[in-house]
Amino acid sequence: MVKQYETDVAIIGGGATGTGIMRDCALRGIKCILVERDDLASGTTGRNHGMLHSGARYAVTDPESAKECIQENKTLKKIARHCVEATSGLFVSLPEDDLDYQKNFIQACGQAGIEAEQLTPQEALRLEPNCNPNLIGAVRVPDGTIDPFRLTSANVLDAKEHGATLLNHTLVTGLIREQDSVKGIHCLNVLNGQAIDIYAKQVVNAGGVWGQHICEYADLSIKMFPAKGALLILDYRINNLLLNRCRKPADADILVPGDTISLIGTTSTKVPLETVDDLHVTDEEVDLLLREGTKLAPIMANTRVLRAYAGVRPLVSVDGDTSGRNISRGIVLIDHEEKDGLKGFVTITGGKLMTYRMMAEWATDLVAKKIGNSAPCTTHTQLLPGSELSLGKKVPKHTASLAKPVYESAIYRHGNRALNFLKEDKQSQAIVCECEMVTRGEIEYAIKDLNVSNMIDLRRRTRMGMGPCQGELCSYRAAGLFTEYSQRDGLQVSKLLRHFLEERWKGLKPIFWGDALSEGEFTYWIYEDLMGVGDIPPYDPNDAIKITVKQPAAQGVKNEI
Amino acid sequence: MKFDTLIIGGGIAGLSCALRCQQQGQKTAVLTKGQSAMHFSSGSIDVLAHLPSGELVSNPFSAITQLTQQKPQHPYAKIGAEKVKKSLHWFTEKMAQEGLNLISHHDASDEDLNHVRLTPMGLFKATWASQDTVYPFIQQNPAQGLSHITLMTFEGFRDFQPELASANLKALPQFKKVEVDCVSIEMKEFDAFSRNPCEFRSIDISNILENEEVIHSFARYMSMLVKKSTDIVVLPAVFKGKKGTQHINLLKKLTGLTICEMPTTPPSLLGIRIESALKQLYKEAGGYMLEGDEVKKGEFKEGALTGIYTKNYKDYPLLADNFVLATGSFFSHGLKANKTDIYEGVFDLDVEYNTPRKQWRADDFFPKQGHPFLAFGVKTDENFRPYYKGTLIHNLYCAGAILAHYHPVIEGSGNGVAISTGYYVAGKIINHSERS
């Protein structure tokens, strides 16, 4: 049986933009359902620097983007307080950099409304002792960091509390069309093979680089030019302020602190669309990132690399240009009714994590108008769940027995929503992930309340397995909790455990030397020699789909494709 | 300081070698940096579980001949199947002298057979000998003779998850008719752990279980919760050392149940128990332990290692007629890897490995053929003597995981190679010194 839903707006894509639209719709009283083929922030949103741009990076080359950034920077510092660290950032000039660029840079920042304070090298080193001591100049700007996993999750949480529905692990298999109108989407739950039809007045395609496929369902031509960006995660937080090179944006010139680690990135390579689901960081990219990163912070030469990963920027070309020359990094909102004569279908793409809320506002304005909703946007003033307490005020500690690091980590990650799982009973306080101080209570909360279906989702919601040991001990422990708190049986959870360890391995492979190699060997001994996990059949995310295609229930889906 | 034999590394290979040298009258010293790999090993002795072809081994010693045909460079090939067997039986005899009984199965003609041990995932791993507190399941049919198993843990203990184990166990066709219970015990004696939720690992539990009164209370809880019909009760390994073994026996007596231990995530008390027994025997025989020290530099002269300088003894060299390098693999820092090369961590001896870096590991984390880096190691001659910049070092020997050309995890041969190479090089050293 095909499961059916009816709603006002169906949103495709669970990245920052999609979840931002979901929240915006919900706050305006528009009914909506968001479908995501994998998990929240599993695409481009979760695979970048996690940088809260001040706009300074774009001030010289793209003043329009710079203005958008500084506006959203100020907004996110208010509404997403628990996802943001206002660390501030330095734009550093090294001996090989031109100080004339610095002059232009400061001027351009001023024009965009970005506070830019020129510092002497000594002042800069006092603020950031790990910065290259040979610097010849530095400018301080209001850059910061933003956690994309927390941000998307908070958007979803708020949307759900205002009546919206999230269907993650749900793949769009086709558009429901009647003549010149899109009436909804055909979907498939990839975990259980359930076919789902969602009828909606408007369908919003926020699939990012994957959105090209969605448009192809409607024979619309949007050409994505995915640009791969590789990044390295360092073992600990080597800098407290963001470090940028004060020059024209180039490879590997941003070092971002985030939680317990630092990130260096990024490279930029055009890749074919077919490869975006299977990106590998090459040895050459690793070498380049380390070489350039060491110039910003020489300490990096002696710092362990924890893992490597890559994301794709959704660069887009519209109007049938397939050469890539008219590529836009800016926000692209397409009303397909106006452009192609196809009613009920809107695409929002391009842009960046930093401007997700603004993109969501634009897209929601458009669909709201089409369905006759005139409620104003409030996403820039209403605080996200977890950030509700007024600035500077501490979350009250209700439970005296809680260890300080446990309490602080939980508040850091979930804001005041941490009070939902910080409980007196000692069971819920047991630490599962010792690197990141993730408790049993937090895992229970994530599995039950934050749409977690597997251990990788769990990692995105809690940081479990993201610390120096990369899941050495906590993977097994968390798997045990999965049998307890989720609907899955021990056999399924065993597969999820293997799947999780394979996923951790992906990030280790490009940087497999030194400590990463010895830790990797240790983890392998534990899970293969001691536990025998290699005997568990590998998890295949397509298992459910393969089964369903054989069943008559999915026939409609096939025809539509 | 001058020794007959100085062994660098205090894991199972180094200590086995040291014990044999010392018992044969050599003035022996073992220099160790810190915890050995025993601290996270299963505590069973694997000799050979799989052939490189993937074939499951039932008779480990006779399969060594097949193995060495398929892999002529394997450490077992240098020793020979008979001597491997002799060394492992020597090891179990020594352990028995220290009250640690290692049990293996035998066929009708008294040939050694592999058995399987249960893992915390509810899966089975083939091994040759297990401590008598570990249940040796029959390899061909692990369910044989069992109709009811109880998996037990402690409330709040995170390193054994019975529900996960029971699901995999029940999925095995042989266990279709076996009842599997999961029991969790909450003991007031563990309340102290609520002070710091990190402190609830096997070693913390073992400290509390050292108190005999707690064992009596444990037995009462167990009698209340475990069905009398159960054939065996499987507990995570939470009993420390010799006394721990006695306490398991006391628990058996008090409850009338068959209680077994299962190795779980580190620290591994079963592995530590073997290490303690080895150290005890070695010290009783008069051997020296130089603990918490590390080699800074070696002095080579005319194809010989004449002495080593260490962190603790600084400018004062430690001298010996023969040296043994048993420093383990990467996680023990016997081997190291930088971005482009694999190197030996103490003397920079010649190492055998693949290039480029991409070829150090497999694509999957659980590859059928294993990861190449696990078979990297020091290049040695037929007597396990290494080379330094192409020159054979005739008074230095290597043993255990520092050696190349074997896959400890995929073959299931880690402790077998460690013990037999340790034993073998001890023999070479003893013979050599007797001749001279």
Side-chain angles (χ1 to χ4, degrees):
Chain A
M1 270 297 286
V2 179
K3 203 170 170 178
Q4 295 198 343
Y5 289 92
E6 221 184 294
T7 189
D8 291 337
V9 178
I11 305 151
I12 302 167
T17 312
T19 57
I21 297 168
M22 184 190 187
R23 178 183 189 230
D24 202 338
C25 284
L27 292 185
R28 296 190 207 197
I30 301 169
K31 284 193 288 176
C32 66
I33 296 174
L34 185 144
V35 291
E36 159 58 45
R37 58 171 207 156
D38 186 352
D39 183 39
L40 301 176
S42 60
T44 304
T45 296
R47 299 180 156 272
N48 54 59
H49 272 113
M51 186 170 168
L52 185 81
H53 278 285
S54 62
R57 189 172 169 82
Y58 306 112
V60 175
T61 52
D62 185 355
E64 194 59 36
S65 287
K67 278 182 202 144
E68 287 168 4
C69 280
I70 187 64
Q71 185 189 330
E72 289 303 299
N73 176 297
K74 288 174 184 164
T75 303
L76 289 174
K77 279 177 183 165
K78 268 191 310 211
I79 67 155
R81 209 169 297 144
H82 74 295
C83 311
V84 162
E85 263 195 81
T87 57
S88 87
L90 294 181
F91 275 74
V92 176
S93 303
L94 295 182
E96 61 264 44
D97 297 331
D98 186 358
L99 273 181
D100 282 345
Y101 187 87
Q102 194 199 52
K103 221 183 280 165
N104 289 342
F105 173 78
I106 294 171
Q107 199 188 4
C109 282
Q111 278 164 3
I114 302 159
E115 219 178 298
E117 179 195 357
Q118 189 172 13
L119 304 177
T120 65
Q122 292 73 24
E123 287 170 329
L125 283 168
R126 220 172 295 135
L127 287 169
E128 190 48 71
N130 278 334
C131 179
N132 189 337
N134 299 326
L135 80 167
I136 53 170
V139 182
R140 186 180 182 174
V141 298
D143 279 349
T145 71
I146 185 154
D147 185 299
F149 305 114
R150 257 164 248 163
L151 183 69
T152 43
S153 184
N155 271 289
V156 168
L157 204 55
D158 203 20
K160 279 165 61 183
E161 286 170 5
H162 289 85
T165 301
L166 169 72
L167 302 175
N168 56 346
H169 301 284
T170 300
L171 181 77
V172 174
T173 55
L175 298 173
I176 304 171
R177 272 180 79 168
E178 273 173 28
Q179 284 103 38
D180 60 349
S181 297
V182 172
K183 298 281 185 189
I185 46 180
H186 295 298
C187 309
L188 188 64
N189 178 319
V190 295
L191 300 178
N192 59 20
Q194 172 70 53
I196 300 163
D197 281 351
I198 301 171
Y199 290 90
K201 294 175 189 154
Q202 291 287 322
V203 173
V204 180
N205 172 16
V209 72
W210 294 269
Q212 182 177 322
H213 294 309
I214 306 294
C215 284
E216 282 163 6
Y217 289 144
D219 302 318
L220 303 172
S221 70
I222 284 190
K223 182 97 176 125
M224 302 302 304
F225 289 89
K228 170 188 168 196
L231 299 104
L232 301 180
I233 306 178
L234 305 164
D235 185 25
Y236 63 101
R237 190 166 167 140
I238 59 175
N239 56 324
N240 242 330
L241 271 66
L242 269 91
L243 291 178
N244 272 271
R245 282 289 282 281
C246 195
R247 62 176 186 195
K248 215 171 153 236
D251 281 351
D253 59 358
I254 313 179
L255 182 65
V256 181
D259 285 304
T260 50
I261 52 98
S262 286
L263 278 167
I264 180 75
T266 157
T267 58
S268 183
T269 327
K270 268 190 199 152
V271 291
L273 189 63
E274 309 82 70
T275 64
V276 297
D277 284 330
D278 191 27
L279 295 174
H280 298 274
V281 178
T282 65
D283 289 353
E284 294 70 34
E285 284 167 331
V286 170
D287 292 345
L288 175 96
L289 288 165
L290 285 177
R291 197 173 55 239
E292 289 298 312
T294 306
K295 291 181 191 165
L296 273 173
I299 192 178
M300 200 188 292
N302 304 314
T303 307
R304 173 183 161 195
V305 185
L306 208 50
R307 55 191 287 118
Y309 66 99
V312 275
R313 298 177 187 83
L315 306 185
V316 59
S317 161
V318 284
D319 300 325
D321 170 51
T322 52
S323 69
R325 277 189 301 274
N326 298 328
I327 284 181
S328 169
R329 276 178 190 255
I331 301 166
V332 176
L333 174 66
I334 305 167
D335 178 351
H336 293 287
E337 180 177 358
E338 202 173 275
K339 182 171 169 280
D340 310 295
L342 184 67
K343 287 181 198 147
F345 192 55
V346 167
T347 293
I348 175 95
T349 189
K352 45 182 96 56
L353 174 64
M354 197 54 214
T355 52
Y356 89 95
R357 195 210 57 81
M358 183 184 275
M359 292 166 74
E361 184 178 340
W362 292 7
T364 311
D365 281 348
L366 182 63
V367 293
K369 197 174 138 203
K370 286 179 186 285
I371 61 174
N373 177 304
S374 57
C377 173
T378 56
T379 56
H380 55 298
T381 53
Q382 288 213 37
L383 306 179
L384 280 161
S387 285
E388 291 103 336
L389 283 178
S390 58
L391 203 60
K393 208 168 155 190
K394 280 226 157 182
V395 179
K397 191 173 158 182
H398 291 304
T399 45
S401 72
L402 275 173
K404 195 173 179 216
V406 170
Y407 170 83
E408 297 274 346
S409 305
I411 297 292
Y412 184 83
R413 285 192 286 269
H414 299 275
N416 54 316
R417 292 298 172 108
L419 300 177
N420 290 2
F421 59 85
L422 288 173
K423 306 229 173 80
E424 196 65 56
D425 71 300
K426 69 168 195 239
Q427 256 207 40
S428 77
Q429 292 177 31
I431 308 284
V432 176
C433 168
E434 286 165 33
C435 300
E436 300 289 340
M437 288 284 161
V438 181
T439 59
R440 183 187 175 111
E442 183 171 349
I443 287 178
E444 179 182 2
Y445 168 68
I447 293 176
K448 289 181 176 167
D449 292 353
L450 301 179
N451 298 80
V452 163
S453 299
N454 61 41
M455 291 178 62
I456 304 170
D457 299 357
L458 186 61
R459 168 179 68 75
R460 290 191 192 99
R461 303 296 186 279
T462 64
R463 284 191 69 76
M464 179 206 81
M466 286 171 103
C469 94
Q470 291 286 293
E472 229 157 57
L473 302 176
C474 63
S475 305
Y476 175 72
R477 294 170 177 174
L481 297 181
F482 239 92
T483 53
E484 207 167 312
Y485 298 129
S486 77
Q487 306 300 316
R488 296 180 171 246
D489 64 34
L491 285 183
Q492 290 169 321
V493 171
S494 300
K495 281 190 178 187
L496 295 184
L497 171 62
R498 178 174 175 160
H499 182 45
F500 182 70
L501 291 166
E502 290 284 5
E503 190 266 350
R504 293 283 81 191
W505 174 237
K506 268 187 202 159
L508 274 183
K509 283 193 284 184
I511 49 101
F512 199 57
W513 73 82
D515 290 336
L517 194 154
S518 34
E519 289 286 329
E521 184 184 28
F522 184 81
T523 307
Y524 180 67
W525 269 92
I526 301 292
Y527 285 95
E528 180 58 55
D529 191 74
L530 194 72
M531 304 239 193
V533 172
D535 289 346
I536 293 166
Y539 170 85
D540 180 353
N542 296 316
D543 274 352
I545 301 172
K546 279 181 205 150
I547 299 161
T548 322
V549 171
K550 289 181 205 143
Q551 292 169 359
Q555 283 302 311
V557 174
K558 265 173 102 180
N559 292 341
E560 205 66 43
I561 298 168
Chain B
M1 253 193 287
K2 169 90 170 67
F3 302 95
D4 295 332
T5 300
L6 200 161
I7 292 152
I8 306 161
I12 194 164
L15 286 173
S16 297
C17 181
L19 178 61
R20 190 170 182 215
C21 285
Q22 184 66 37
Q23 289 191 335
Q24 293 288 318
Q26 295 253 316
K27 186 184 175 193
T28 310
V30 174
L31 187 138
T32 71
K33 194 161 88 175
Q35 283 185 354
S36 77
M38 307 281 283
H39 288 244
F40 55 85
S41 77
S42 67
S44 287
I45 309 296
D46 303 345
V47 171
L48 187 62
H50 286 97
L51 288 169
S53 57
E55 193 187 326
L56 189 68
V57 165
S58 57
N59 184 324
F61 295 112
S62 58
I64 286 179
T65 314
Q66 276 165 277
L67 169 78
T68 55
Q69 279 161 4
Q70 290 176 24
K71 290 193 125 187
Q73 285 181 298
H74 198 285
Y76 281 158
K78 292 181 182 172
I79 302 173
E82 264 317 300
K83 279 190 186 152
V84 172
K85 186 172 173 178
K86 199 175 150 199
S87 65
L88 284 152
H89 282 134
W90 167 84
F91 184 83
T92 53
E93 276 163 34
K94 293 294 161 196
M95 287 290 105
Q97 284 170 18
E98 191 41 39
L100 196 154
N101 297 313
L102 288 160
I103 307 297
S104 45
H105 285 164
H106 298 90
D107 67 9
S109 51
D110 210 29
E111 284 292 312
D112 292 70
L113 290 177
N114 275 338
H115 63 269
V116 289
R117 64 172 169 85
L118 185 66
T119 81
M121 286 301 292
L123 302 163
F124 289 105
K125 282 294 229 188
T127 188
W128 166 66
S130 291
Q131 295 176 36
D132 61 358
T133 47
V134 173
Y135 192 83
F137 295 83
I138 293 164
Q139 189 177 25
Q140 274 69 33
N141 177 12
Q144 194 174 312
L146 299 169
S147 58
H148 187 171
I149 296 179
T150 302
L151 305 177
M152 177 181 276
T153 191
F154 304 97
E155 196 59 47
F157 181 60
R158 303 147 300 166
D159 294 332
F160 177 44
Q161 303 282 345
E163 299 290 341
L164 206 54
S166 87
N168 284 304
L169 200 53
K170 282 184 198 157
L172 294 172
Q174 296 108 326
F175 279 80
K176 239 184 189 137
K177 288 183 184 157
V178 179
E179 192 181 334
V180 183
D181 284 340
C182 298
V183 171
S184 180
I185 286 194
E186 191 166 6
M187 284 172 56
K188 66 171 183 348
E189 285 81 357
F190 295 157
D191 281 353
F193 292 131
S194 65
R195 189 171 44 86
N196 181 346
C198 279
E199 288 174 6
F200 199 35
R201 290 210 182 174
S202 56
I203 201 119
D204 306 307
I205 296 177
S206 78
N207 289 332
I208 292 195
L209 293 178
E210 283 212 299
N211 179 348
E212 203 177 301
E213 274 174 45
V214 179
I215 300 295
H216 283 270
S217 141
F218 189 5
R220 282 192 295 275
Y221 283 112
M222 223 183 207
S223 301
M224 275 190 296
L225 291 165
V226 176
K227 289 182 202 151
K228 284 277 169 273
S229 59
T230 196
D231 295 310
I232 56 170
V233 181
V234 182
L235 282 176
V238 288
F239 296 92
K240 197 160 58 173
K242 240 184 190 176
K243 201 172 174 190
T245 319
Q246 291 159 8
H247 278 172
I248 295 170
N249 290 330
L250 175 62
L251 206 52
K252 283 183 186 171
K253 213 174 87 189
L254 292 170
T255 58
L257 296 163
T258 304
I259 294 159
C260 321
E261 294 182 283
M262 184 190 55
T264 184
T265 40
S268 164
L269 294 163
L270 282 160
I272 295 170
R273 199 180 288 154
I274 289 191
E275 187 188 77
S276 310
L278 264 175
K279 272 192 191 168
Q280 185 60 29
L281 285 166
Y282 171 65
K283 283 184 191 164
E284 277 167 13
Y288 290 87
M289 287 297 293
L290 308 171
E291 286 174 299
D293 202 357
E294 77 187 89
V295 182
K296 286 289 172 198
K297 194 176 77 169
E299 230 161 40
F300 291 94
K301 207 172 170 185
E302 291 159 10
L305 178 62
T306 54
I308 55 170
Y309 291 91
T310 73
K311 192 184 78 189
N312 292 352
Y313 291 94
K314 298 195 172 70
D315 297 338
Y316 185 70
L318 301 183
L319 310 173
D321 293 335
N322 292 289
F323 292 86
V324 177
L325 188 68
T327 42
S329 67
F330 297 92
F331 49 71
S332 307
H333 303 296
L335 295 171
K336 292 183 176 176
N338 61 29
K339 271 170 76 185
T340 50
D341 294 293
I342 305 284
Y343 58 101
E344 187 277 309
V346 177
F347 302 115
D348 200 18
L349 300 168
D350 298 354
V351 172
E352 294 184 280
Y353 63 100
N354 305 340
T355 49
R357 189 170 85 220
K358 244 181 239 155
Q359 291 182 30
W360 294 356
R361 42 80 185 167
D363 249 358
D364 294 332
F365 190 51
F366 297 104
K368 282 215 162 54
Q369 297 304 317
H371 291 288
F373 72 89
L374 284 160
F376 296 167
V378 169
K379 182 184 175 186
T380 56
D381 76 347
E382 70 285 359
N383 292 326
F384 298 109
R385 289 178 302 183
Y387 297 82
Y388 179 68
K389 299 195 195 305
T391 306
L392 180 75
I393 309 301
H394 64 78
N395 69 335
L396 176 60
Y397 297 83
C398 298
I402 189 95
L403 293 168
H405 303 298
Y406 77 106
H407 272 283
V409 177
I410 288 296
E411 290 166 10
S413 62
N415 280 340
V417 170
I419 293 166
S420 61
T421 53
Y423 178 92
Y424 184 81
V425 302
K428 290 287 159 196
I429 289 168
I430 294 156
N431 280 344
H432 190 260
S433 26
E434 277 167 3
R435 273 206 306 274
S436 55

